[in-house]
Amino acid sequence: MEPFGSLRYGNPSGSHSLARDAVRAVDEAREQIAEIVGCRPSEVIFTSGGTEADNHAVTGGLPARSAQPVCSAVEHHAVLDVVHALGGHTVGVNSDGQIDHADLAALLNRLTESGAAVGVVSVMLANNEVGSINNLAEVAACIAEASHSRVAGESHIPLHTDAVQAAAWLDLRTAAMAADMISISAHKLGGPKGIGALVVRESTPIRPMILGGGQERDRRSGSANVPGIVGFAAALRVVDAERAETNQRVSQLREQLIIGLLESVTGLSETVDRSAQIPGSCHVCIEGVDSESLLLLLEAEGVLASAGSSCASGAQEASHVLTAIGMPDASARGALRLWLGWDSTQSDVDRALQAVPAAVQRVREFGI
Ligand code: PLP
């Protein structure tokens, strides 16, 4: 990235040699990203990150589509809030956080019968809170079946997937193959913040959401973030090359962490089935403990975790994800997220296995 922020500072929208140098760097990055995502280079639209990619996919660009969007109830707010703002609909999930196919089919049929058009169905590939993976081929089949039963003349409903959390762990060439649009963000791959992409298959119509200079083949205006794009491609290349080894190593560490916690902390349970999760995800619930109190004690021991609820107007509220999987508010108060990353080590796990039981004991003893 470094040369493109200093000596090779050209703007790819220009026409002189510095600009051409930047164009080459962006084109090369686009080709590498496309190869790893499993799409054509022309299908990659660079964005400012996952939030913009999700907004663009769900709105279909401005002016807003009249058709209603549909998404799962556990989507990131970058999808969920847009769907709500456009008067769309959410679909329930099972206790592992995966979209309920019967619920999706029933909603699509209901909308069809009422004469409403569906603009897009958005289903995340892996959830950012509990790590559950969706089978997009099955989701696409469910949408196709619902589309077939529609009145003649109705067109294909595009499937968008937010793969922001999944891209580090899953091979998008296969896992996201069934999606018509895919959101990715570099900072979830060890790349820079403020750069991402929306992949839009050539057969899927999309209007621009940001208008101006007509960059990205008129689909997203604004001067390209050249260092960001170069860093994004570099991070994705490394992740892709090392994914199999990383997944195996991190899965083993996660196994040790969860089994160790289950053995050493009474009242602790796994939130969703491990087989349904991406390897880095470790989400547990601890009975009778307010996990917000645990976080400070854990941080003092060098363990950075997050809770499953947030404080809204003085009252602890369960996250929308935990509510959607059917967890009662009282249990969500004890939710603890201990994600592992590609750089997590045995000593990190050992430290967490010492720190968590000790912190839980202190919270229980002192009633904090
Ligand atoms: N979608 C998911 C699943 C995420 O986890 C995040 C970020 O945490 C986003 C979207 C937003 O991405 P960005 O931070 O690049 O805007």
Side-chain angles (χ1 to χ4, degrees):
M1 294 169 65
E2 204 278 332
F4 296 97
S6 52
L7 290 175
R8 296 167 72 185
Y9 197 65
N11 182 340
S13 304
S15 54
H16 45 66
S17 64
L18 261 183
R20 286 195 297 277
D21 191 28
V23 170
R24 264 193 304 278
V26 170
D27 283 351
E28 202 176 295
R30 196 188 301 278
E31 278 165 25
Q32 290 165 351
I33 291 168
E35 195 278 312
I36 295 169
V37 175
C39 67
R40 298 183 184 143
S42 58
E43 295 173 332
V44 176
I45 305 173
F46 287 114
T47 65
S48 62
T51 301
E52 183 192 322
D54 284 347
N55 271 254
H56 196 174
V58 177
T59 62
L62 293 174
R65 282 182 184 148
S66 57
Q68 297 164 3
V70 167
C71 72
S72 90
V74 297
E75 295 299 310
H76 188 276
H77 283 289
V79 167
L80 199 61
D81 291 3
V82 188
V83 168
H84 284 152
L86 296 175
H89 307 266
T90 55
V91 175
V93 293
N94 64 20
S95 57
D96 282 329
Q98 297 156 316
I99 191 162
D100 183 327
H101 296 178
D103 208 7
L104 174 62
L107 173 67
L108 294 178
N109 289 330
R110 218 171 39 247
L111 289 172
T112 304
E113 276 161 23
S114 69
V118 178
V120 64
V121 175
S122 184
V123 179
M124 67 204 317
L125 186 49
N127 181 264
N128 50 300
E129 206 171 311
V130 293
S132 2
I133 301 169
N134 276 302
N135 183 327
L136 296 181
E138 286 177 9
V139 174
C142 178
I143 298 171
E145 204 169 305
S147 314
H148 271 132
S149 61
R150 299 173 127 224
V151 280
E154 286 288 351
S155 55
H156 170 74
I157 303 171
L159 170 62
H160 164 249
T161 192
D162 175 339
V164 167
Q165 203 63 233
W169 308 102
L170 303 180
D171 186 343
L172 299 186
R173 297 172 186 92
T174 46
M177 196 162 59
D180 300 296
M181 292 184 274
I182 307 166
S183 299
I184 336 169
S185 180
H187 72 104
K188 298 290 176 185
L189 302 156
K193 292 180 177 57
I195 183 72
L198 176 66
V199 168
V200 182
R201 309 267 185 219
E202 258 165 32
S203 52
T204 304
I206 185 103
R207 279 185 289 260
M209 189 175 71
I210 298 178
L211 304 170
Q215 288 88 347
E216 298 295 286
R217 298 170 68 215
D218 277 337
R219 294 166 302 179
R220 198 278 190 186
S221 288
S223 294
N225 171 356
V226 184
I229 289 169
V230 168
F232 180 11
L236 195 56
R237 278 202 315 274
V238 175
V239 158
D240 188 53
E242 297 180 356
R243 189 182 286 113
E245 185 275 322
T246 304
N247 284 3
Q248 197 186 8
R249 187 169 41 79
V250 174
S251 296
Q252 281 167 4
L253 289 174
R254 195 252 312 256
E255 197 73 8
Q256 275 185 36
L257 178 61
I258 293 185
I259 289 172
L261 290 174
L262 286 167
E263 284 171 357
S264 59
V265 181
T266 50
L268 181 142
S269 57
E270 286 177 73
T271 307
V272 303
D273 198 296
R274 246 169 289 164
S275 64
Q277 288 177 318
I278 45 176
S281 173
C282 173
H283 195 290
V284 295
C285 279
I286 311 171
E287 258 174 49
V289 169
D290 183 348
S291 47
E292 287 288 342
S293 320
L294 281 182
L295 300 185
L296 286 177
L297 295 172
L298 291 177
E299 185 159 359
E301 297 300 318
V303 177
L304 306 181
S306 23
S309 53
S310 59
C311 187
S313 42
Q316 269 318 99
E317 274 184 9
S319 81
H320 69 286
V321 175
L322 299 183
T323 302
I325 65 173
M327 184 180 286
D329 279 11
S331 308
R333 231 168 265 146
L336 189 65
R337 266 204 283 171
L338 290 161
W339 280 66
L340 294 97
W342 60 273
D343 55 349
S344 296
T345 60
Q346 181 68 53
S347 72
D348 294 332
V349 171
D350 294 344
R351 189 187 302 192
L353 284 176
Q354 282 203 328
V356 177
V360 171
Q361 199 184 344
R362 274 189 69 188
V363 170
R364 282 182 173 153
E365 257 175 40
F366 296 104
I368 40 177

